[in-house]
Amino acid sequence: MTTLLVLRERIKKFYARWGGYLIRVFRFALAIAAFFTINRALGYMERISHDWIGAVAALVCACLPCSFTVVLAGIFILMQMYAVSLEVLFVTAAVFVLFFCLYYVFQPGDSFLLLLMPLLFLCRIPLVVPLLMGLVGTAFSMIPVSFGIIVYYMLKYARENVGVLASNGSLSMPGRYTQMINGILENREMWVMVVACCVTLLVVYFVRRLSVNHAWEIAIGVGTVTNVLLLLAGVFLADVSFPVSSLIIGALAAAVSGLVLEFFVFHLDYSRTERVQFEDDDYYYYVKAVPKVAVTQPEVTVTKINARTSYDQGVEKELYNLRQELSNTAELFSAGKDLEQTRVLFEKGAKKKNKMTENGEARDGNHNKNV
């Protein structure tokens, strides 16, 4: 456990240092996944269904708030729906307008859920979002969660019935309106999922706010069971079908994600719980204080180990003195050698000078004799 706590502290320090860049990376990943999914799932307007357009748009969205990504993704969807028919475009636009009205009135700040919910539906783990938002969000977080579910099923219905909803199909204009609206309102699987996710979010939200030990762990367990039971009730009561394997995998993924989030955000030491009581002029206060589990990150220190003894130091001193003596002896030998070479040079010069003197005297004697 200590190793995990140290790792958590390192991750927190890393995020504190590079958090701005990590948020931009998350925005870019969310935006490019959303745009590529729209182009792959719909792709009815070929002019905007290119990967490079989605990549450029994702780069722009990485530097802007998530609300801009949601607006741009909504524009992409509306353009794709326009390629199908005007009726599909108007119904989709009406759903988007309703969402933005409720969103900006009640819960601004969770706009990324409108993109995240459809993506997690494609990954078969949509139960992760309501459980996590119940832990860190508010009760109003069910608005973006609900509309994310509605957008996913609406686009799914439009893709599966594009031949009927298209402007060149067999239905008239009123028939296309009726077909699209009924396809949304009469989708029982969608409404079962909306109810299950909203109830799960509210249950987790209220349980984790209780003043009991291990409130978050209890909320995670109760929320996971509640979500599974509600979906199973929808299978029997509303006659809808959910793959059992996807349901189990989604529930396990939600529980694991909740525990990971609890470890990083709300990991408490309940063994040191304290209850204090104090008062002022108007109230008595009963406070329950639970300390967070924290660990000091170990500091790495480098210690230079020197195991030399006094004997080794004496030997080193003698070696140093010996090297000094040898150096002095070498200098003396070098100086003596230089003196010897100088003496030899002087002797050679003296002999040469004497020889030149004798030759000069001989020439003078011969010259006088001739004269």
Side-chain angles (χ1 to χ4, degrees), residues 252-277:
L252 292 176
V256 172
S257 301
L259 292 175
V260 172
L261 182 64
E262 184 268 341
F263 178 75
F264 281 95
V265 178
F266 200 77
H267 193 50
L268 304 180
D269 185 5
Y270 291 99
S271 62
R272 297 190 292 132
T273 301
E274 297 180 3
R275 298 182 183 274
V276 296
Q277 175 184 348

mmCIF file with all atom_site columns, all heavy atoms in Angstrom, residues 252-277:
data_model
loop_
_atom_site.group_PDB
_atom_site.id
_atom_site.type_symbol
_atom_site.label_atom_id
_atom_site.label_alt_id
_atom_site.label_comp_id
_atom_site.label_asym_id
_atom_site.label_entity_id
_atom_site.label_seq_id
_atom_site.pdbx_PDB_ins_code
_atom_site.Cartn_x
_atom_site.Cartn_y
_atom_site.Cartn_z
_atom_site.occupancy
_atom_site.B_iso_or_equiv
_atom_site.pdbx_formal_charge
_atom_site.auth_seq_id
_atom_site.auth_comp_id
_atom_site.auth_asym_id
_atom_site.auth_atom_id
_atom_site.pdbx_PDB_model_num
ATOM 1   N N   . LEU A 1 252 ? -18.521 -4.088 -13.953 1.00 0.00 ? 252 LEU A N   1
ATOM 2   C CA  . LEU A 1 252 ? -17.187 -4.263 -13.376 1.00 0.00 ? 252 LEU A CA  1
ATOM 3   C C   . LEU A 1 252 ? -16.286 -3.072 -13.699 1.00 0.00 ? 252 LEU A C   1
ATOM 4   O O   . LEU A 1 252 ? -15.530 -2.601 -12.832 1.00 0.00 ? 252 LEU A O   1
ATOM 5   C CB  . LEU A 1 252 ? -16.562 -5.555 -13.885 1.00 0.00 ? 252 LEU A CB  1
ATOM 6   C CG  . LEU A 1 252 ? -17.221 -6.858 -13.416 1.00 0.00 ? 252 LEU A CG  1
ATOM 7   C CD1 . LEU A 1 252 ? -16.549 -8.059 -14.071 1.00 0.00 ? 252 LEU A CD1 1
ATOM 8   C CD2 . LEU A 1 252 ? -17.168 -6.978 -11.897 1.00 0.00 ? 252 LEU A CD2 1
ATOM 9   N N   . ALA A 1 253 ? -16.353 -2.592 -14.937 1.00 0.00 ? 253 ALA A N   1
ATOM 10  C CA  . ALA A 1 253 ? -15.542 -1.428 -15.315 1.00 0.00 ? 253 ALA A CA  1
ATOM 11  C C   . ALA A 1 253 ? -15.937 -0.209 -14.500 1.00 0.00 ? 253 ALA A C   1
ATOM 12  O O   . ALA A 1 253 ? -15.076 0.579  -14.073 1.00 0.00 ? 253 ALA A O   1
ATOM 13  C CB  . ALA A 1 253 ? -15.692 -1.144 -16.807 1.00 0.00 ? 253 ALA A CB  1
ATOM 14  N N   . ALA A 1 254 ? -17.241 -0.032 -14.253 1.00 0.00 ? 254 ALA A N   1
ATOM 15  C CA  . ALA A 1 254 ? -17.701 1.098  -13.445 1.00 0.00 ? 254 ALA A CA  1
ATOM 16  C C   . ALA A 1 254 ? -17.196 0.995  -12.013 1.00 0.00 ? 254 ALA A C   1
ATOM 17  O O   . ALA A 1 254 ? -16.730 1.985  -11.420 1.00 0.00 ? 254 ALA A O   1
ATOM 18  C CB  . ALA A 1 254 ? -19.227 1.170  -13.479 1.00 0.00 ? 254 ALA A CB  1
ATOM 19  N N   . ALA A 1 255 ? -17.273 -0.209 -11.429 1.00 0.00 ? 255 ALA A N   1
ATOM 20  C CA  . ALA A 1 255 ? -16.813 -0.383 -10.049 1.00 0.00 ? 255 ALA A CA  1
ATOM 21  C C   . ALA A 1 255 ? -15.312 -0.151 -9.919  1.00 0.00 ? 255 ALA A C   1
ATOM 22  O O   . ALA A 1 255 ? -14.855 0.535  -8.995  1.00 0.00 ? 255 ALA A O   1
ATOM 23  C CB  . ALA A 1 255 ? -17.179 -1.786 -9.561  1.00 0.00 ? 255 ALA A CB  1
ATOM 24  N N   . VAL A 1 256 ? -14.536 -0.679 -10.856 1.00 0.00 ? 256 VAL A N   1
ATOM 25  C CA  . VAL A 1 256 ? -13.082 -0.490 -10.807 1.00 0.00 ? 256 VAL A CA  1
ATOM 26  C C   . VAL A 1 256 ? -12.724 0.978  -10.997 1.00 0.00 ? 256 VAL A C   1
ATOM 27  O O   . VAL A 1 256 ? -11.854 1.522  -10.290 1.00 0.00 ? 256 VAL A O   1
ATOM 28  C CB  . VAL A 1 256 ? -12.398 -1.370 -11.870 1.00 0.00 ? 256 VAL A CB  1
ATOM 29  C CG1 . VAL A 1 256 ? -10.916 -1.041 -11.971 1.00 0.00 ? 256 VAL A CG1 1
ATOM 30  C CG2 . VAL A 1 256 ? -12.584 -2.849 -11.544 1.00 0.00 ? 256 VAL A CG2 1
ATOM 31  N N   . SER A 1 257 ? -13.389 1.642  -11.932 1.00 0.00 ? 257 SER A N   1
ATOM 32  C CA  . SER A 1 257 ? -13.123 3.067  -12.148 1.00 0.00 ? 257 SER A CA  1
ATOM 33  C C   . SER A 1 257 ? -13.467 3.880  -10.914 1.00 0.00 ? 257 SER A C   1
ATOM 34  O O   . SER A 1 257 ? -12.748 4.825  -10.549 1.00 0.00 ? 257 SER A O   1
ATOM 35  C CB  . SER A 1 257 ? -13.930 3.571  -13.350 1.00 0.00 ? 257 SER A CB  1
ATOM 36  O OG  . SER A 1 257 ? -13.609 2.849  -14.519 1.00 0.00 ? 257 SER A OG  1
ATOM 37  N N   . GLY A 1 258 ? -14.564 3.524  -10.237 1.00 0.00 ? 258 GLY A N   1
ATOM 38  C CA  . GLY A 1 258 ? -14.923 4.227  -9.009  1.00 0.00 ? 258 GLY A CA  1
ATOM 39  C C   . GLY A 1 258 ? -13.900 4.043  -7.913  1.00 0.00 ? 258 GLY A C   1
ATOM 40  O O   . GLY A 1 258 ? -13.565 4.992  -7.185  1.00 0.00 ? 258 GLY A O   1
ATOM 41  N N   . LEU A 1 259 ? -13.375 2.839  -7.764  1.00 0.00 ? 259 LEU A N   1
ATOM 42  C CA  . LEU A 1 259 ? -12.361 2.592  -6.736  1.00 0.00 ? 259 LEU A CA  1
ATOM 43  C C   . LEU A 1 259 ? -11.064 3.336  -7.037  1.00 0.00 ? 259 LEU A C   1
ATOM 44  O O   . LEU A 1 259 ? -10.411 3.861  -6.127  1.00 0.00 ? 259 LEU A O   1
ATOM 45  C CB  . LEU A 1 259 ? -12.101 1.091  -6.621  1.00 0.00 ? 259 LEU A CB  1
ATOM 46  C CG  . LEU A 1 259 ? -13.259 0.247  -6.063  1.00 0.00 ? 259 LEU A CG  1
ATOM 47  C CD1 . LEU A 1 259 ? -12.911 -1.239 -6.118  1.00 0.00 ? 259 LEU A CD1 1
ATOM 48  C CD2 . LEU A 1 259 ? -13.596 0.658  -4.628  1.00 0.00 ? 259 LEU A CD2 1
ATOM 49  N N   . VAL A 1 260 ? -10.684 3.383  -8.307  1.00 0.00 ? 260 VAL A N   1
ATOM 50  C CA  . VAL A 1 260 ? -9.484  4.136  -8.683  1.00 0.00 ? 260 VAL A CA  1
ATOM 51  C C   . VAL A 1 260 ? -9.666  5.621  -8.388  1.00 0.00 ? 260 VAL A C   1
ATOM 52  O O   . VAL A 1 260 ? -8.775  6.290  -7.841  1.00 0.00 ? 260 VAL A O   1
ATOM 53  C CB  . VAL A 1 260 ? -9.149  3.904  -10.168 1.00 0.00 ? 260 VAL A CB  1
ATOM 54  C CG1 . VAL A 1 260 ? -8.031  4.825  -10.623 1.00 0.00 ? 260 VAL A CG1 1
ATOM 55  C CG2 . VAL A 1 260 ? -8.762  2.455  -10.407 1.00 0.00 ? 260 VAL A CG2 1
ATOM 56  N N   . LEU A 1 261 ? -10.842 6.151  -8.734  1.00 0.00 ? 261 LEU A N   1
ATOM 57  C CA  . LEU A 1 261 ? -11.121 7.555  -8.451  1.00 0.00 ? 261 LEU A CA  1
ATOM 58  C C   . LEU A 1 261 ? -11.127 7.823  -6.948  1.00 0.00 ? 261 LEU A C   1
ATOM 59  O O   . LEU A 1 261 ? -10.596 8.845  -6.482  1.00 0.00 ? 261 LEU A O   1
ATOM 60  C CB  . LEU A 1 261 ? -12.464 7.950  -9.063  1.00 0.00 ? 261 LEU A CB  1
ATOM 61  C CG  . LEU A 1 261 ? -12.889 9.409  -8.888  1.00 0.00 ? 261 LEU A CG  1
ATOM 62  C CD1 . LEU A 1 261 ? -11.921 10.335 -9.600  1.00 0.00 ? 261 LEU A CD1 1
ATOM 63  C CD2 . LEU A 1 261 ? -14.304 9.615  -9.402  1.00 0.00 ? 261 LEU A CD2 1
ATOM 64  N N   . GLU A 1 262 ? -11.694 6.915  -6.165  1.00 0.00 ? 262 GLU A N   1
ATOM 65  C CA  . GLU A 1 262 ? -11.719 7.078  -4.714  1.00 0.00 ? 262 GLU A CA  1
ATOM 66  C C   . GLU A 1 262 ? -10.309 7.069  -4.135  1.00 0.00 ? 262 GLU A C   1
ATOM 67  O O   . GLU A 1 262 ? -9.990  7.808  -3.196  1.00 0.00 ? 262 GLU A O   1
ATOM 68  C CB  . GLU A 1 262 ? -12.555 5.946  -4.096  1.00 0.00 ? 262 GLU A CB  1
ATOM 69  C CG  . GLU A 1 262 ? -12.751 6.061  -2.588  1.00 0.00 ? 262 GLU A CG  1
ATOM 70  C CD  . GLU A 1 262 ? -11.688 5.310  -1.811  1.00 0.00 ? 262 GLU A CD  1
ATOM 71  O OE1 . GLU A 1 262 ? -11.037 4.424  -2.409  1.00 0.00 ? 262 GLU A OE1 1
ATOM 72  O OE2 . GLU A 1 262 ? -11.496 5.612  -0.620  1.00 0.00 ? 262 GLU A OE2 1
ATOM 73  N N   . PHE A 1 263 ? -9.425  6.256  -4.690  1.00 0.00 ? 263 PHE A N   1
ATOM 74  C CA  . PHE A 1 263 ? -8.049  6.189  -4.203  1.00 0.00 ? 263 PHE A CA  1
ATOM 75  C C   . PHE A 1 263 ? -7.314  7.512  -4.421  1.00 0.00 ? 263 PHE A C   1
ATOM 76  O O   . PHE A 1 263 ? -6.516  7.939  -3.575  1.00 0.00 ? 263 PHE A O   1
ATOM 77  C CB  . PHE A 1 263 ? -7.307  5.054  -4.910  1.00 0.00 ? 263 PHE A CB  1
ATOM 78  C CG  . PHE A 1 263 ? -5.864  4.935  -4.520  1.00 0.00 ? 263 PHE A CG  1
ATOM 79  C CD1 . PHE A 1 263 ? -5.501  4.406  -3.293  1.00 0.00 ? 263 PHE A CD1 1
ATOM 80  C CD2 . PHE A 1 263 ? -4.872  5.359  -5.381  1.00 0.00 ? 263 PHE A CD2 1
ATOM 81  C CE1 . PHE A 1 263 ? -4.170  4.305  -2.930  1.00 0.00 ? 263 PHE A CE1 1
ATOM 82  C CE2 . PHE A 1 263 ? -3.534  5.255  -5.023  1.00 0.00 ? 263 PHE A CE2 1
ATOM 83  C CZ  . PHE A 1 263 ? -3.185  4.729  -3.802  1.00 0.00 ? 263 PHE A CZ  1
ATOM 84  N N   . PHE A 1 264 ? -7.585  8.183  -5.532  1.00 0.00 ? 264 PHE A N   1
ATOM 85  C CA  . PHE A 1 264 ? -6.884  9.423  -5.837  1.00 0.00 ? 264 PHE A CA  1
ATOM 86  C C   . PHE A 1 264 ? -7.552  10.654 -5.220  1.00 0.00 ? 264 PHE A C   1
ATOM 87  O O   . PHE A 1 264 ? -6.879  11.659 -4.995  1.00 0.00 ? 264 PHE A O   1
ATOM 88  C CB  . PHE A 1 264 ? -6.782  9.618  -7.355  1.00 0.00 ? 264 PHE A CB  1
ATOM 89  C CG  . PHE A 1 264 ? -5.701  8.811  -7.994  1.00 0.00 ? 264 PHE A CG  1
ATOM 90  C CD1 . PHE A 1 264 ? -5.976  7.571  -8.560  1.00 0.00 ? 264 PHE A CD1 1
ATOM 91  C CD2 . PHE A 1 264 ? -4.401  9.269  -8.032  1.00 0.00 ? 264 PHE A CD2 1
ATOM 92  C CE1 . PHE A 1 264 ? -4.977  6.817  -9.148  1.00 0.00 ? 264 PHE A CE1 1
ATOM 93  C CE2 . PHE A 1 264 ? -3.395  8.526  -8.616  1.00 0.00 ? 264 PHE A CE2 1
ATOM 94  C CZ  . PHE A 1 264 ? -3.686  7.296  -9.174  1.00 0.00 ? 264 PHE A CZ  1
ATOM 95  N N   . VAL A 1 265 ? -8.843  10.591 -4.943  1.00 0.00 ? 265 VAL A N   1
ATOM 96  C CA  . VAL A 1 265 ? -9.575  11.787 -4.522  1.00 0.00 ? 265 VAL A CA  1
ATOM 97  C C   . VAL A 1 265 ? -10.007 11.731 -3.065  1.00 0.00 ? 265 VAL A C   1
ATOM 98  O O   . VAL A 1 265 ? -9.963  12.740 -2.359  1.00 0.00 ? 265 VAL A O   1
ATOM 99  C CB  . VAL A 1 265 ? -10.804 12.002 -5.439  1.00 0.00 ? 265 VAL A CB  1
ATOM 100 C CG1 . VAL A 1 265 ? -11.618 13.208 -4.988  1.00 0.00 ? 265 VAL A CG1 1
ATOM 101 C CG2 . VAL A 1 265 ? -10.368 12.176 -6.894  1.00 0.00 ? 265 VAL A CG2 1
ATOM 102 N N   . PHE A 1 266 ? -10.437 10.560 -2.573  1.00 0.00 ? 266 PHE A N   1
ATOM 103 C CA  . PHE A 1 266 ? -11.098 10.487 -1.278  1.00 0.00 ? 266 PHE A CA  1
ATOM 104 C C   . PHE A 1 266 ? -10.603 9.295  -0.476  1.00 0.00 ? 266 PHE A C   1
ATOM 105 O O   . PHE A 1 266 ? -11.383 8.530  0.069   1.00 0.00 ? 266 PHE A O   1
ATOM 106 C CB  . PHE A 1 266 ? -12.622 10.394 -1.484  1.00 0.00 ? 266 PHE A CB  1
ATOM 107 C CG  . PHE A 1 266 ? -13.431 10.779 -0.275  1.00 0.00 ? 266 PHE A CG  1
ATOM 108 C CD1 . PHE A 1 266 ? -13.598 12.101 0.065   1.00 0.00 ? 266 PHE A CD1 1
ATOM 109 C CD2 . PHE A 1 266 ? -14.032 9.818  0.509   1.00 0.00 ? 266 PHE A CD2 1
ATOM 110 C CE1 . PHE A 1 266 ? -14.349 12.463 1.169   1.00 0.00 ? 266 PHE A CE1 1
ATOM 111 C CE2 . PHE A 1 266 ? -14.789 10.160 1.613   1.00 0.00 ? 266 PHE A CE2 1
ATOM 112 C CZ  . PHE A 1 266 ? -14.944 11.491 1.947   1.00 0.00 ? 266 PHE A CZ  1
ATOM 113 N N   . HIS A 1 267 ? -9.293  9.129  -0.380  1.00 0.00 ? 267 HIS A N   1
ATOM 114 C CA  . HIS A 1 267 ? -8.718  8.003  0.353   1.00 0.00 ? 267 HIS A CA  1
ATOM 115 C C   . HIS A 1 267 ? -8.456  8.462  1.778   1.00 0.00 ? 267 HIS A C   1
ATOM 116 O O   . HIS A 1 267 ? -7.558  9.286  2.043   1.00 0.00 ? 267 HIS A O   1
ATOM 117 C CB  . HIS A 1 267 ? -7.418  7.547  -0.309  1.00 0.00 ? 267 HIS A CB  1
ATOM 118 C CG  . HIS A 1 267 ? -6.930  6.227  0.190   1.00 0.00 ? 267 HIS A CG  1
ATOM 119 N ND1 . HIS A 1 267 ? -7.729  5.110  0.274   1.00 0.00 ? 267 HIS A ND1 1
ATOM 120 C CD2 . HIS A 1 267 ? -5.709  5.850  0.648   1.00 0.00 ? 267 HIS A CD2 1
ATOM 121 C CE1 . HIS A 1 267 ? -7.027  4.099  0.753   1.00 0.00 ? 267 HIS A CE1 1
ATOM 122 N NE2 . HIS A 1 267 ? -5.802  4.524  0.986   1.00 0.00 ? 267 HIS A NE2 1
ATOM 123 N N   . LEU A 1 268 ? -9.250  7.946  2.740   1.00 0.00 ? 268 LEU A N   1
ATOM 124 C CA  . LEU A 1 268 ? -9.207  8.410  4.122   1.00 0.00 ? 268 LEU A CA  1
ATOM 125 C C   . LEU A 1 268 ? -8.732  7.310  5.058   1.00 0.00 ? 268 LEU A C   1
ATOM 126 O O   . LEU A 1 268 ? -8.842  6.128  4.760   1.00 0.00 ? 268 LEU A O   1
ATOM 127 C CB  . LEU A 1 268 ? -10.595 8.892  4.575   1.00 0.00 ? 268 LEU A CB  1
ATOM 128 C CG  . LEU A 1 268 ? -11.254 9.972  3.723   1.00 0.00 ? 268 LEU A CG  1
ATOM 129 C CD1 . LEU A 1 268 ? -12.603 10.346 4.300   1.00 0.00 ? 268 LEU A CD1 1
ATOM 130 C CD2 . LEU A 1 268 ? -10.367 11.194 3.600   1.00 0.00 ? 268 LEU A CD2 1
ATOM 131 N N   . ASP A 1 269 ? -8.218  7.751  6.214   1.00 0.00 ? 269 ASP A N   1
ATOM 132 C CA  . ASP A 1 269 ? -7.773  6.837  7.270   1.00 0.00 ? 269 ASP A CA  1
ATOM 133 C C   . ASP A 1 269 ? -8.828  6.860  8.382   1.00 0.00 ? 269 ASP A C   1
ATOM 134 O O   . ASP A 1 269 ? -8.793  7.700  9.296   1.00 0.00 ? 269 ASP A O   1
ATOM 135 C CB  . ASP A 1 269 ? -6.408  7.288  7.802   1.00 0.00 ? 269 ASP A CB  1
ATOM 136 C CG  . ASP A 1 269 ? -5.845  6.299  8.813   1.00 0.00 ? 269 ASP A CG  1
ATOM 137 O OD1 . ASP A 1 269 ? -6.475  5.237  9.019   1.00 0.00 ? 269 ASP A OD1 1
ATOM 138 O OD2 . ASP A 1 269 ? -4.782  6.592  9.391   1.00 0.00 ? 269 ASP A OD2 1
ATOM 139 N N   . TYR A 1 270 ? -9.771  5.933  8.332   1.00 0.00 ? 270 TYR A N   1
ATOM 140 C CA  . TYR A 1 270 ? -10.867 5.923  9.296   1.00 0.00 ? 270 TYR A CA  1
ATOM 141 C C   . TYR A 1 270 ? -10.433 5.449  10.684  1.00 0.00 ? 270 TYR A C   1
ATOM 142 O O   . TYR A 1 270 ? -11.186 5.601  11.646  1.00 0.00 ? 270 TYR A O   1
ATOM 143 C CB  . TYR A 1 270 ? -12.000 5.033  8.786   1.00 0.00 ? 270 TYR A CB  1
ATOM 144 C CG  . TYR A 1 270 ? -12.706 5.617  7.587   1.00 0.00 ? 270 TYR A CG  1
ATOM 145 C CD1 . TYR A 1 270 ? -12.395 5.183  6.301   1.00 0.00 ? 270 TYR A CD1 1
ATOM 146 C CD2 . TYR A 1 270 ? -13.679 6.593  7.733   1.00 0.00 ? 270 TYR A CD2 1
ATOM 147 C CE1 . TYR A 1 270 ? -13.034 5.718  5.202   1.00 0.00 ? 270 TYR A CE1 1
ATOM 148 C CE2 . TYR A 1 270 ? -14.324 7.138  6.638   1.00 0.00 ? 270 TYR A CE2 1
ATOM 149 C CZ  . TYR A 1 270 ? -13.999 6.700  5.367   1.00 0.00 ? 270 TYR A CZ  1
ATOM 150 O OH  . TYR A 1 270 ? -14.629 7.236  4.268   1.00 0.00 ? 270 TYR A OH  1
ATOM 151 N N   . SER A 1 271 ? -9.246  4.889  10.804  1.00 0.00 ? 271 SER A N   1
ATOM 152 C CA  . SER A 1 271 ? -8.772  4.465  12.126  1.00 0.00 ? 271 SER A CA  1
ATOM 153 C C   . SER A 1 271 ? -8.426  5.649  13.018  1.00 0.00 ? 271 SER A C   1
ATOM 154 O O   . SER A 1 271 ? -8.323  5.502  14.232  1.00 0.00 ? 271 SER A O   1
ATOM 155 C CB  . SER A 1 271 ? -7.548  3.557  11.979  1.00 0.00 ? 271 SER A CB  1
ATOM 156 O OG  . SER A 1 271 ? -6.478  4.253  11.362  1.00 0.00 ? 271 SER A OG  1
ATOM 157 N N   . ARG A 1 272 ? -8.241  6.827  12.455  1.00 0.00 ? 272 ARG A N   1
ATOM 158 C CA  . ARG A 1 272 ? -7.899  8.021  13.227  1.00 0.00 ? 272 ARG A CA  1
ATOM 159 C C   . ARG A 1 272 ? -9.027  9.047  13.203  1.00 0.00 ? 272 ARG A C   1
ATOM 160 O O   . ARG A 1 272 ? -8.794  10.246 13.249  1.00 0.00 ? 272 ARG A O   1
ATOM 161 C CB  . ARG A 1 272 ? -6.610  8.639  12.686  1.00 0.00 ? 272 ARG A CB  1
ATOM 162 C CG  . ARG A 1 272 ? -5.403  7.733  12.832  1.00 0.00 ? 272 ARG A CG  1
ATOM 163 C CD  . ARG A 1 272 ? -4.110  8.445  12.509  1.00 0.00 ? 272 ARG A CD  1
ATOM 164 N NE  . ARG A 1 272 ? -4.012  8.775  11.089  1.00 0.00 ? 272 ARG A NE  1
ATOM 165 C CZ  . ARG A 1 272 ? -3.656  9.969  10.633  1.00 0.00 ? 272 ARG A CZ  1
ATOM 166 N NH1 . ARG A 1 272 ? -3.408  10.952 11.476  1.00 0.00 ? 272 ARG A NH1 1
ATOM 167 N NH2 . ARG A 1 272 ? -3.550  10.171 9.335   1.00 0.00 ? 272 ARG A NH2 1
ATOM 168 N N   . THR A 1 273 ? -10.257 8.556  13.131  1.00 0.00 ? 273 THR A N   1
ATOM 169 C CA  . THR A 1 273 ? -11.414 9.445  13.108  1.00 0.00 ? 273 THR A CA  1
ATOM 170 C C   . THR A 1 273 ? -11.575 10.150 14.457  1.00 0.00 ? 273 THR A C   1
ATOM 171 O O   . THR A 1 273 ? -11.426 9.540  15.518  1.00 0.00 ? 273 THR A O   1
ATOM 172 C CB  . THR A 1 273 ? -12.688 8.647  12.792  1.00 0.00 ? 273 THR A CB  1
ATOM 173 O OG1 . THR A 1 273 ? -12.523 8.003  11.517  1.00 0.00 ? 273 THR A OG1 1
ATOM 174 C CG2 . THR A 1 273 ? -13.897 9.561  12.731  1.00 0.00 ? 273 THR A CG2 1
ATOM 175 N N   . GLU A 1 274 ? -11.873 11.421 14.389  1.00 0.00 ? 274 GLU A N   1
ATOM 176 C CA  . GLU A 1 274 ? -12.073 12.217 15.591  1.00 0.00 ? 274 GLU A CA  1
ATOM 177 C C   . GLU A 1 274 ? -13.442 12.906 15.521  1.00 0.00 ? 274 GLU A C   1
ATOM 178 O O   . GLU A 1 274 ? -13.874 13.332 14.450  1.00 0.00 ? 274 GLU A O   1
ATOM 179 C CB  . GLU A 1 274 ? -10.985 13.274 15.739  1.00 0.00 ? 274 GLU A CB  1
ATOM 180 C CG  . GLU A 1 274 ? -9.582  12.710 15.907  1.00 0.00 ? 274 GLU A CG  1
ATOM 181 C CD  . GLU A 1 274 ? -8.547  13.800 16.056  1.00 0.00 ? 274 GLU A CD  1
ATOM 182 O OE1 . GLU A 1 274 ? -8.962  14.987 16.076  1.00 0.00 ? 274 GLU A OE1 1
ATOM 183 O OE2 . GLU A 1 274 ? -7.355  13.473 16.137  1.00 0.00 ? 274 GLU A OE2 1
ATOM 184 N N   . ARG A 1 275 ? -14.088 12.998 16.667  1.00 0.00 ? 275 ARG A N   1
ATOM 185 C CA  . ARG A 1 275 ? -15.372 13.704 16.773  1.00 0.00 ? 275 ARG A CA  1
ATOM 186 C C   . ARG A 1 275 ? -15.196 14.848 17.772  1.00 0.00 ? 275 ARG A C   1
ATOM 187 O O   . ARG A 1 275 ? -14.862 14.615 18.938  1.00 0.00 ? 275 ARG A O   1
ATOM 188 C CB  . ARG A 1 275 ? -16.480 12.755 17.216  1.00 0.00 ? 275 ARG A CB  1
ATOM 189 C CG  . ARG A 1 275 ? -16.733 11.624 16.226  1.00 0.00 ? 275 ARG A CG  1
ATOM 190 C CD  . ARG A 1 275 ? -17.864 10.728 16.685  1.00 0.00 ? 275 ARG A CD  1
ATOM 191 N NE  . ARG A 1 275 ? -18.061 9.613  15.773  1.00 0.00 ? 275 ARG A NE  1
ATOM 192 C CZ  . ARG A 1 275 ? -18.810 9.651  14.680  1.00 0.00 ? 275 ARG A CZ  1
ATOM 193 N NH1 . ARG A 1 275 ? -19.457 10.782 14.377  1.00 0.00 ? 275 ARG A NH1 1
ATOM 194 N NH2 . ARG A 1 275 ? -18.937 8.604  13.895  1.00 0.00 ? 275 ARG A NH2 1
ATOM 195 N N   . VAL A 1 276 ? -15.427 16.037 17.312  1.00 0.00 ? 276 VAL A N   1
ATOM 196 C CA  . VAL A 1 276 ? -15.245 17.220 18.148  1.00 0.00 ? 276 VAL A CA  1
ATOM 197 C C   . VAL A 1 276 ? -16.572 17.964 18.272  1.00 0.00 ? 276 VAL A C   1
ATOM 198 O O   . VAL A 1 276 ? -17.453 17.858 17.415  1.00 0.00 ? 276 VAL A O   1
ATOM 199 C CB  . VAL A 1 276 ? -14.160 18.147 17.563  1.00 0.00 ? 276 VAL A CB  1
ATOM 200 C CG1 . VAL A 1 276 ? -12.812 17.456 17.571  1.00 0.00 ? 276 VAL A CG1 1
ATOM 201 C CG2 . VAL A 1 276 ? -14.514 18.574 16.142  1.00 0.00 ? 276 VAL A CG2 1
ATOM 202 N N   . GLN A 1 277 ? -16.680 18.685 19.372  1.00 0.00 ? 277 GLN A N   1
ATOM 203 C CA  . GLN A 1 277 ? -17.900 19.442 19.651  1.00 0.00 ? 277 GLN A CA  1
ATOM 204 C C   . GLN A 1 277 ? -17.516 20.827 20.148  1.00 0.00 ? 277 GLN A C   1
ATOM 205 O O   . GLN A 1 277 ? -16.653 20.973 21.017  1.00 0.00 ? 277 GLN A O   1
ATOM 206 C CB  . GLN A 1 277 ? -18.746 18.714 20.703  1.00 0.00 ? 277 GLN A CB  1
ATOM 207 C CG  . GLN A 1 277 ? -19.978 19.473 21.138  1.00 0.00 ? 277 GLN A CG  1
ATOM 208 C CD  . GLN A 1 277 ? -20.724 18.764 22.239  1.00 0.00 ? 277 GLN A CD  1
ATOM 209 O OE1 . GLN A 1 277 ? -20.442 17.588 22.522  1.00 0.00 ? 277 GLN A OE1 1
ATOM 210 N NE2 . GLN A 1 277 ? -21.669 19.450 22.880  1.00 0.00 ? 277 GLN A NE2 1
#
